[in-house]
Amino acid sequence: MDTQRHAGRTVLVTGGGSGIGRATALRFADEGAAGVVIVDRLQDRLDAVAAELSQRGTKVGTVCCDLYEISDADRAVHEAGEHFGRIDVVISNAAAWTAESFLDMKDESWLKVIGVNLTAGYVIGQRAARAMVASGRGGAIQYTASISSLGGSPMFSHYNAAKAGLANLVKTMSLELVGYGIRVNAVSPGPTDTQQSVDVVGLELMDKWRREGFPVAPMGRLGSAEDMAAAHSFLASDDASYVTGVNLVVDGGLTAHAYSVPES
C-alpha cells in the first residue's frame, strides 16, 4: 500500500459508517488523505468510524443525515466543503433497498430507493462538481453502483433501475465535466460480504458462504469491502489519470459468465 497515494487530498464518502463506505474511508486515510468527511444516517456508526480515522492521523468530519431528502444531500456536500475548504474526491456510496416483487411494490418503496440510490447521487455529484469547478482544481467523483446495473434480479426492480441510472449518469457527467479536470467513474461490486448482504440473505447463509466459498462467482468467494475500497482508491489516484466514464466491475468474474454447455 502506498501511504502517500492520496497525500494532501480531502475526501467525502457517503454511507461511510459501515461496509464499503467504511472500508473506503479507511483506505484513503491509510493512503495519506489529509482529511475525510463521512456521511451516514446513524450517528453511532459515524462516531465509531471517525475514531478509526482519527487513530490513523487523518482529520475527520462527520455529517449525520438521511440522503433521501435533497436538502440533506445538498447539506452533506456543503458541510464537507466547510470542514476542509475544498473537496478533491467524492465517493457517493450510500444505498437503500427493500425486497419486493414488482407487482406488489409499494410506491413509497420505489421513491425511497430511487431517492437514496439515484437522486442523492445526482445531487451530491452536481454540488461537488460545482465546488470543484469553482476551485479550479478539478477532482474525482465516483459512485458505488452494482452489477445490478447490468441486468435484472427478481425482487429488486427499484434498486436495479437506480443502479443502472447511476452507471449511465457517470458516462454523461464524465463527458460534461472532463474539460474542468474532473474525472467521473463508478465501481460495480458483485456479491460482497457486508451487513447489507447479511440483511438480504440472512446470517446463516452468509456464514456458509464465508466458510465454504461462494460457488456462483468463478473466483469462488464473496467480494470484500476492502476489494471495493481498493477499486475506488485506484480510480481516484493519479494512476487512473486517463480513466473517466468507466463502470469498473469488481465481481470475481460473475458477469463474465454467459452460460455453460449442459453436460447432458
Side-chain angles (χ1 to χ4, degrees):
M1 182 178 293
D2 182 355
T3 59
Q4 295 300 303
R5 190 180 209 183
H6 298 295
R9 289 179 173 141
T10 59
V11 186
L12 167 64
V13 183
T14 71
S18 64
I20 293 170
R22 169 185 171 274
T24 300
L26 296 178
R27 176 83 184 215
F28 276 90
D30 288 338
E31 294 186 326
V36 179
V37 176
I38 49 175
V39 180
D40 203 276
R41 65 185 181 84
L42 298 175
Q43 187 63 52
D44 59 336
R45 289 182 177 179
L46 286 173
D47 293 342
V49 179
E52 292 182 278
L53 291 167
S54 294
Q55 289 170 2
R56 287 161 163 78
T58 302
K59 294 181 179 179
V60 184
T62 64
V63 181
C64 187
C65 65
D66 186 344
L67 295 175
Y68 173 64
E69 299 292 340
I70 287 179
S71 59
D72 275 354
D74 182 88
R75 177 169 66 85
V77 178
H78 178 73
E79 290 190 13
E82 285 191 329
H83 273 295
F84 303 121
R86 69 176 197 274
I87 307 171
D88 299 309
V89 179
V90 171
I91 311 293
S92 181
N93 166 78
W97 60 275
T98 63
E100 300 177 51
S101 72
F102 180 74
L103 289 176
D104 295 328
M105 183 169 292
K106 299 182 288 293
D107 291 345
E108 54 266 32
S109 298
W110 176 273
L111 293 172
K112 178 76 172 183
V113 171
I114 295 294
V116 174
N117 290 285
L118 181 56
T119 304
Y122 145 72
V123 174
I124 289 164
Q126 185 194 64
R127 275 47 163 193
R130 287 172 174 171
M132 290 174 180
V133 169
S135 74
R137 296 171 55 91
I141 300 173
Q142 295 170 199
Y143 294 90
T144 301
S146 169
I147 59 170
S148 296
S149 68
L150 307 176
S153 52
M155 306 297 290
F156 296 99
S157 58
H158 47 359
Y159 183 84
N160 300 341
K163 294 299 188 177
L166 270 184
N168 192 274
L169 179 64
V170 161
K171 294 185 180 299
T172 302
M173 287 174 62
S174 70
L175 297 175
E176 293 197 18
L177 299 176
V178 67
Y180 299 101
I182 301 170
R183 296 185 300 106
V184 187
N185 292 292
V187 172
S188 273
T192 304
D193 189 353
T194 63
Q195 184 58 50
Q196 179 172 303
S197 296
V198 173
D199 293 342
V200 172
V201 305
L203 182 58
E204 183 177 351
L205 185 54
M206 185 61 66
D207 280 342
K208 174 180 169 60
W209 289 339
R210 289 166 178 163
R211 292 192 311 269
E212 301 176 11
F214 184 67
V216 178
M219 285 190 175
R221 68 170 177 88
L222 291 165
S224 69
E226 289 73 22
D227 290 327
M228 310 311 154
H232 272 304
S233 175
F234 163 69
L235 288 173
S237 75
D238 292 340
D239 291 330
S241 62
Y242 199 54
V243 180
T244 195
V246 164
N247 182 14
L248 177 59
V249 175
V250 185
D251 70 350
L254 179 59
T255 56
H257 184 214
Y259 71 97
S260 296
V261 177
E263 295 180 2
S264 61

